[in-house]
Amino acid sequence: MALALARVAPGLAVVDRDTLVTSYAKDQELGAWINYLMAGMIIAYTAISVVNSLVMSTTARRREFGLQRLTGATRGQVLRMMTVEAGMTTVIGVLLGTVVAFTTLLPFTLVTDGSLLPKGPIAIYLAVTGAAAALTFGATLLSTWLGLRSRPTEAAVAPA
């Protein structure tokens, strides 16, 4: 019977259960890698967008930094002010992101586990918040430092 079926449908293979399970596991592993790649691309695009927005908004404040320097603020004071702003931006972003993630995961965890809290290692959450903080502080402070390199008088009269 198997030979007759193989003649009718070329490429058809009759295999045992172990071979079928192994083949299915390989397909699942490939699908998982494709999902990881897609998630990585989305994360990279989001990171580029966030950094670009922070750099553009900080660079647009070059005139403000020049005026602060002309009124007596030092470079260090301006950088400390921007550090506080970056910290506030990070905290607000992480809190809002956590709320959004929690509200979208809540129905899923209720159905699958019957619990309110999602399961998983806390290290992933800490890595994501750490990366968000590093991007926020890095983009804000680097663009501020570059903006403070010019003379205050030139920056104060620069177009906004």
Side-chain angles (χ1 to χ4, degrees):
M1 177 165 161
L3 290 174
L5 197 56
R7 275 188 233 123
V8 174
L12 180 70
V14 178
V15 295
D16 62 347
R17 178 182 174 91
D18 291 336
T19 307
L20 182 64
V21 169
T22 303
S23 174
Y24 179 74
K26 286 180 183 177
D27 289 344
Q28 289 296 98
E29 186 177 331
L30 178 64
W33 277 108
I34 290 171
N35 286 338
Y36 293 144
L37 179 65
M38 294 294 287
M41 289 174 62
I42 292 169
I43 290 168
Y45 176 77
T46 303
I48 290 168
S49 297
V50 167
V51 167
N52 186 41
S53 296
L54 287 169
V55 168
M56 294 298 290
S57 66
T58 304
T59 304
R61 296 174 64 184
R62 184 174 160 217
R63 184 171 187 269
E64 174 189 337
F65 299 152
L67 290 173
Q68 287 177 343
R69 297 278 318 281
L70 285 175
T71 58
T74 64
R75 282 189 174 115
Q77 289 173 326
V78 175
L79 279 171
R80 280 192 296 278
M81 176 194 72
M82 292 306 291
T83 301
V84 170
E85 283 188 25
M88 290 172 57
T89 302
T90 300
V91 168
I92 291 169
V94 166
L95 286 176
L96 290 176
T98 300
V99 168
V100 169
F102 182 75
T103 57
T104 57
L105 287 175
L106 180 66
F108 180 75
T109 57
L110 278 174
V111 169
T112 58
D113 293 346
S115 129
L116 290 176
L117 295 175
K119 303 285 188 247
I122 191 73
I124 293 175
Y125 178 77
L126 295 176
V128 169
T129 56
L135 286 173
T136 304
F137 279 97
T140 302
L141 296 179
L142 181 64
S143 57
T144 301
W145 180 75
L146 290 173
L148 289 173
R149 288 182 11 175
S150 62
R151 293 182 172 180
T153 52
E154 293 171 0
V157 295

